[in-house]
Amino acid sequence: MDISKRLADARAASNMTQQEFADRLFVSRELVSKWENGLRRPDHKTLQRIAEVLGIPEGSLIKQEDIIFKELEACIPPGCSISRASLSALLNNFLKTLPKTDANLFIRRYYLLNSNSEIAEFYGIKPNIVRSRLSKTVRKLKKYLKEELKDAQNADV
Amino acid sequence: MPKTLMFDAISDIDEALIDTCLNEEPGKAFSGNKNEERHNRPLWRRIALACAIPAMAALLILILPKILDNTLLGSDYHFGNFSFTGLAAEVPLSDVYVESLEDTDNFGEFAQNRTDAKYVFDKPSKDDMKYVGLWLDQQSSGAILLNKDGTFVFYTQYSETLLRFAGEGYFCIENGKIRLFTPADGEYSEFSIAYKRRYIIFTNEYNESIRLDPVNIDDYVFKPMEDKTSPDAMDFRNITWRLADEKTHINFWNNEVMSISINVNEGNVPADRIEETFVWDSETNTVRFPDWHEGSTLLLTGKIENDQLILSAGNTSYVLVPYVYDPNIYSQDLQLGKPYYCTCGNPKDYRVVIIFEEDGRYVLTAEDTSGNLLTDRYYLEGTYEYCPDERHPYRHDGPEVSGVLRITPPNGELDYMNNTDMYLFFETVSSSWIVEHGAEIFIDEEGVIWISYQRVFTDELIVYDCVKLSPR
């Protein structure tokens, strides 16, 4: 189950409508709808607020993602301190340099949090091809960030 | 580093990118067909890959006789020039125009749904003769020579003035598109081609372009990596060297790649020393270990003396003698029902265990150092086929192969990999790696299963990784 479904289930279990839920979070109902349909994804801070509003442990929403993102965290050069905005900008730049298929694979996996099986099924390819392509992209990202942040090691960006 | 930083950064991915992704039609970007999947590779990578194995094989064929003839260190060591009779005179492209592309790594994404039958490789028309000549992409160090007879030769740029043969094929230009066919793997690729000023631009279907600059052929020395007819050519597939007083082996893998690996079969050498890869630089007559001791580079000089291979670094020398194959050594059969494991993690705090059952099924699990099962993390099951007498096609003459183990992919899949070791392992047990990339599985005298396979880290470098599964 991905984050969107868990979120939708948790909201439904709390007997809140999307509008009520959105009001509590100070976001639009449309955004909640997008979250629950997997079209957009809340960031970590918002997830914390969601967990608070729903009265559930934060880990129940991002358990899997925590694990998934460990491998991406490793892309950030060790000892490098970088702000979210800087990293976001670099990530967006990186994605724009990728072939469209690889960028989409990355987004499906890490933004939409599809499983490899789901991605493979969507494209009609074998899961190991998804894994292989993603792995190459992650390696590229690591190399890209290392290059971009080499002057920022041990310094704030 | 807060562990949520990347998570949040990914939350900030541009909406336009996400919408593009969401608007994809199912099954459109990939076909799932192996051939079409290959078309997704960038041009140079695809051509280089198609040509790398035979080209590197040829390089080994050329290098090793020189090694064995004790001529590698000689200052008069030459490969000899590749012959391009008349081309330089016929195509005087003397204006060298150089401008690096910002990013050619992403060039690629080839048109899909090709049908071979529709491509006919006629000789280029008269109008297309303007494309004939040598074209160089400075950024990716790839070069392509379009000949007037409709053939092309692909090179990798080895140095400022040296191009090395990396493959060949046929091309034709029609309706503003160039089609390339590499018989080595039967692949086609197609680009729109534009001739602007002195350079040509290849553009793929995703509007990604690469600019190729004309080069004066005279400026370059062409060195072939393939000369199968050479009387000096010899088969190195059986050549294994061993360190004289230790169990360190250097294998010249398959006679297909110029990378060489060292097997440390036992002793107190850490496991990550196994299958160290190094690259022989014939220009400087050195061996480079790219990842030696966590990132530093080790340079060794190699020479042959008295039938010994001597690798030297400063005052340290490694003397290796030819390894004599003893077929009795590699006679272990697969032990059914007995766990094999590889240690994983960083730090290495858990093991992946695989058991080949007698009924043809295997079960793969993970356990911590205390032997506690980590079923919540990794679990795979599938089927295998072990053919102890069958030689793997990729190593049919190699001494290490005692049989072929074919592992069928599991029904399920792993959603994520936590570290490189796991990645390596699961990539290995995936049958497509074995089939498509020629993983080799063999069992040594200790009963250890070795799974080695090639991985491509960059466009240029092919190296070997190895997973070692020890019996308990």
Side-chain angles (χ1 to χ4, degrees):
Chain A
M1 183 185 287
D2 63 26
I3 190 171
S4 60
K5 290 187 178 65
R6 282 199 298 272
L7 185 56
D9 287 353
R11 180 190 56 77
S14 69
N15 293 320
M16 264 191 277
T17 64
Q18 282 191 347
Q19 187 62 61
E20 289 167 341
F21 187 49
D23 291 344
R24 297 277 299 272
L25 292 167
F26 304 103
V27 298
S28 68
R29 191 200 61 78
E30 288 73 21
L31 183 57
V32 171
S33 174
K34 284 183 176 179
W35 287 343
E36 294 188 358
N37 287 297
L39 301 178
R40 293 291 182 269
R41 201 195 61 194
D43 63 18
H44 185 256
K45 206 169 183 179
T46 308
L47 278 171
Q48 286 177 321
R49 283 169 52 207
I50 289 171
E52 282 175 23
V53 166
L54 295 176
I56 57 174
E58 184 191 340
S60 65
L61 289 173
I62 59 168
K63 185 180 174 186
Q64 182 195 5
E65 288 68 38
D66 258 355
I67 297 166
I68 291 175
F69 281 91
K70 268 185 187 173
E71 67 191 47
L72 286 185
E73 291 291 346
C75 293
I76 302 172
C80 174
S81 176
I82 182 173
S83 67
R84 171 178 172 174
S86 300
L87 185 60
S88 300
L90 286 173
L91 184 63
N92 276 305
N93 284 339
F94 169 73
L95 289 175
K96 286 167 187 168
T97 67
L98 287 179
K100 204 174 359 176
T101 46
D102 285 334
N104 287 346
L105 270 181
F106 187 93
I107 289 170
R108 285 189 184 281
R109 183 70 180 125
Y110 297 114
Y111 184 92
L112 301 175
L113 298 169
N114 294 159
S115 70
N116 287 337
S117 291
E118 289 168 333
I119 298 171
E121 192 178 342
F122 180 83
Y123 289 117
I125 58 177
K126 296 175 184 171
N128 69 296
I129 293 177
V130 176
R131 277 201 295 274
S132 180
R133 293 284 288 255
L134 279 170
S135 176
K136 283 175 190 168
T137 302
V138 170
R139 283 204 298 270
K140 271 187 185 175
L141 174 62
K142 189 173 185 178
K143 189 177 166 189
Y144 176 83
L145 291 179
K146 187 179 177 185
E147 189 63 29
E148 292 293 323
L149 297 172
K150 64 184 173 189
D151 298 329
Q153 297 246 355
N154 304 311
D156 287 338
V157 175
Chain B
M1 179 63 57
K3 71 176 182 178
T4 58
L5 186 57
M6 187 61 89
F7 182 91
D8 286 342
I10 284 173
S11 297
D12 296 337
I13 289 175
D14 284 354
E15 293 201 352
L17 287 169
I18 295 159
D19 289 338
T20 303
C21 175
L22 290 171
N23 290 330
E24 264 187 318
E25 289 179 39
K28 193 78 175 178
F30 296 89
S31 69
N33 176 286
K34 181 183 164 188
N35 286 331
E36 291 168 9
E37 166 64 13
R38 284 203 298 255
H39 281 289
N40 286 319
R41 295 173 183 156
L43 167 67
W44 300 133
R45 171 174 291 188
R46 209 158 54 77
I47 298 177
L49 278 177
C51 306
I53 288 177
M56 287 181 175
L59 183 62
L60 272 183
I61 289 171
L62 286 166
I63 289 176
L64 266 70
K66 302 297 181 185
I67 296 173
L68 298 175
D69 288 345
N70 295 339
T71 59
L72 192 59
L73 288 178
S75 58
D76 57 345
Y77 176 66
H78 296 295
F79 280 107
N81 287 352
F82 202 87
S83 172
F84 291 97
T85 309
L87 270 174
E90 292 166 6
V91 191
L93 296 168
S94 55
D95 294 328
V96 178
Y97 187 90
V98 176
E99 180 180 312
S100 294
L101 292 177
E102 285 184 0
D103 181 10
T104 56
D105 188 39
N106 298 310
F107 181 67
E109 301 293 342
F110 291 81
Q112 295 170 26
N113 302 317
R114 303 278 184 235
T115 53
D116 295 356
K118 74 179 184 180
Y119 291 99
V120 178
F121 289 88
D122 294 327
K123 289 183 179 179
S125 70
K126 203 172 181 180
D127 290 341
D128 295 328
M129 291 304 287
K130 63 188 174 190
Y131 297 112
V132 167
L134 179 66
W135 305 89
L136 180 69
D137 170 20
Q138 298 278 358
Q139 181 72 18
S140 73
S141 302
I144 187 167
L145 176 69
L146 301 177
N147 295 321
K148 67 176 183 177
D149 64 356
T151 61
F152 77 88
V153 186
F154 174 68
Y155 299 94
T156 52
Q157 188 177 12
Y158 195 73
S159 66
E160 280 190 13
T161 57
L162 176 63
L163 292 175
R164 285 204 156 149
F165 174 84
E168 60 191 345
Y170 305 98
F171 78 97
C172 71
I173 297 169
E174 193 176 277
N175 299 326
K177 292 188 174 178
I178 184 167
R179 293 167 189 153
L180 305 175
F181 172 52
T182 50
D185 64 351
E187 282 196 344
Y188 298 89
S189 52
E190 181 180 276
F191 305 89
S192 65
I193 185 170
Y195 188 84
K196 292 187 178 177
R197 290 192 292 180
R198 290 189 297 268
Y199 51 87
I200 55 177
I201 298 173
F202 283 8
T203 305
N204 68 4
E205 63 174 325
Y206 296 108
N207 212 28
E208 295 164 328
S209 295
I210 187 171
R211 203 183 82 180
L212 298 165
D213 301 295
V215 181
N216 185 354
I217 290 176
D218 288 340
D219 290 344
Y220 277 86
V221 177
F222 295 83
K223 291 194 173 182
M225 289 199 285
E226 186 168 28
D227 185 5
K228 291 174 181 171
T229 60
S230 166
D232 293 330
M234 58 182 292
D235 189 342
F236 287 96
R237 281 174 291 197
N238 291 326
I239 298 288
T240 298
W241 300 87
R242 72 188 306 174
L243 206 54
D245 55 354
E246 296 177 33
K247 287 200 171 184
T248 302
H249 296 67
I250 294 183
N251 292 314
F252 296 86
W253 289 94
N254 295 341
N255 196 27
E256 289 177 345
V257 291
M258 60 187 292
S259 60
I260 307 167
S261 63
I262 293 179
N263 295 339
V264 181
N265 284 340
E266 63 177 29
N268 55 4
V269 182
D272 59 6
R273 272 286 162 274
I274 291 167
E275 295 289 331
E276 193 104 34
T277 299
F278 63 95
V279 181
W280 191 288
D281 182 346
S282 63
E283 289 300 298
T284 57
N285 186 30
T286 54
V287 179
R288 182 169 56 87
F289 293 79
D291 301 317
W292 191 264
H293 293 303
E294 290 76 42
S296 64
T297 296
L298 179 68
L299 287 173
L300 293 172
T301 305
K303 61 179 177 179
I304 302 282
E305 282 182 2
N306 302 323
D307 295 330
Q308 294 177 323
L309 172 62
I310 302 172
L311 301 175
S312 304
N315 294 326
T316 305
S317 289
Y318 303 91
V319 180
L320 298 105
V321 297
Y323 175 74
V324 180
Y325 169 53
D326 179 358
N328 295 320
I329 287 180
Y330 298 98
S331 59
Q332 275 279 353
D333 264 340
L334 186 67
Q335 298 182 52
L336 304 181
K338 187 171 183 176
Y340 288 84
Y341 70 92
C342 66
T343 306
C344 300
N346 186 20
K348 296 190 178 300
D349 56 355
Y350 67 96
R351 288 181 296 216
V352 172
V353 183
I354 185 167
I355 301 175
F356 298 96
E357 304 286 5
E358 289 185 5
D359 62 0
R361 299 190 62 78
Y362 71 86
V363 177
L364 184 148
T365 55
E367 63 182 30
D368 62 21
T369 50
S370 304
N372 300 317
L373 217 56
L374 301 171
T375 49
D376 58 328
R377 296 173 70 178
Y378 304 108
Y379 184 84
L380 286 176
E381 58 182 357
T383 58
Y384 72 92
E385 182 187 6
Y386 179 56
C387 310
D389 299 324
E390 188 175 330
R391 297 275 179 162
H392 192 283
Y394 290 86
R395 290 292 295 270
H396 52 88
D397 290 328
E400 293 87 354
V401 178
S402 66
V404 172
L405 183 66
R406 294 196 178 87
I407 301 177
T408 303
N411 295 326
E413 59 136 350
L414 287 170
D415 271 348
Y416 43 82
M417 290 78 66
N418 264 355
N419 59 64
T420 305
D421 286 332
M422 290 303 294
Y423 167 74
L424 294 183
F425 185 81
F426 290 117
E427 283 288 293
T428 302
V429 299
S430 158
S431 69
S432 65
W433 262 101
I434 294 170
V435 174
E436 295 171 16
H437 296 267
E440 298 161 357
I441 299 177
F442 55 94
I443 302 170
D444 68 12
E445 70 272 28
E446 306 292 334
V448 172
I449 295 179
W450 295 76
I451 306 174
S452 65
Y453 55 94
Q454 60 185 22
R455 297 174 67 205
V456 179
F457 280 136
T458 71
D459 285 357
E460 297 83 24
L461 179 63
I462 293 179
V463 297
Y464 279 87
D465 281 315
C466 188
V467 173
K468 178 184 174 185
L469 299 172
S470 304
R472 290 192 294 186

